[in-house]
């Protein structure tokens, strides 16, 4: 599986590709110090393979490297962040 980041001036997405299918996690950039993850979509062909989890972890690692925080408005990302207390350094709960 490969994960890449596509960014525009106001947001972007993380895209995971596997077996000819693509999953995505979209975000909006509030400012240089905060992004909002607002949507995660994993096609049926990739469900149960850890693709969503890999996208979430990639976003967390990217935030650590970039020095920003994540506000998880996406239900999937919010659920993952509540399961991973070790993400508390970059995930900001409302």
């Amino acid at each position: 599986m490969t994960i890449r980041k596509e960014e525009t001036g106001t947001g972007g997405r993380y895209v995971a590709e596997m077996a000819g299918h693509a999953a995505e996690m979209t975000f909006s950039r509030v400012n240089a110090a905060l992004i909002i993850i607002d949507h995660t979509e994993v096609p049926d062909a990739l469900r149960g393979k850890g693709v969503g989890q890999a996208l979430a972890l990639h976003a967390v690692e990217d935030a650590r490297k970039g020095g920003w925080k994540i506000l998880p408005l996406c239900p999937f990302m919010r659920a993952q962040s509540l399961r991973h207390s070790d993400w508390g350094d970059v995930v900001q709960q409302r």
Side-chain angles (χ1 to χ4, degrees):
M1 172 178 15
T2 60
I3 298 177
R4 71 179 183 280
K5 180 180 176 182
E6 298 173 354
E7 195 163 5
T8 65
T10 59
R13 67 186 190 145
Y14 294 98
V15 180
E17 294 182 5
M18 182 179 187
H21 300 278
E24 72 174 1
M25 177 174 280
T26 61
F27 64 89
S28 300
R29 184 164 291 284
V30 176
N31 55 44
L34 179 66
I35 67 167
I36 295 172
I37 293 184
D38 52 22
H39 180 71
T40 303
E41 186 170 337
V42 177
D44 289 341
L46 297 181
R47 291 187 190 253
K49 299 182 187 316
V51 176
Q53 176 67 27
L55 284 167
L57 182 57
H58 192 84
V60 166
E61 291 172 348
D62 204 29
R64 285 180 176 142
K65 289 177 194 166
W68 63 76
K69 301 281 184 187
I70 297 170
L71 180 59
L73 297 185
C74 163
F76 174 80
M77 184 62 179
R78 177 155 171 71
Q80 289 300 311
S81 69
L82 293 172
R83 289 185 186 114
H84 294 273
S85 59
D86 57 315
W87 293 359
D89 59 322
V90 293
V91 175
Q92 173 181 312
Q93 301 299 339
R94 290 193 265 178

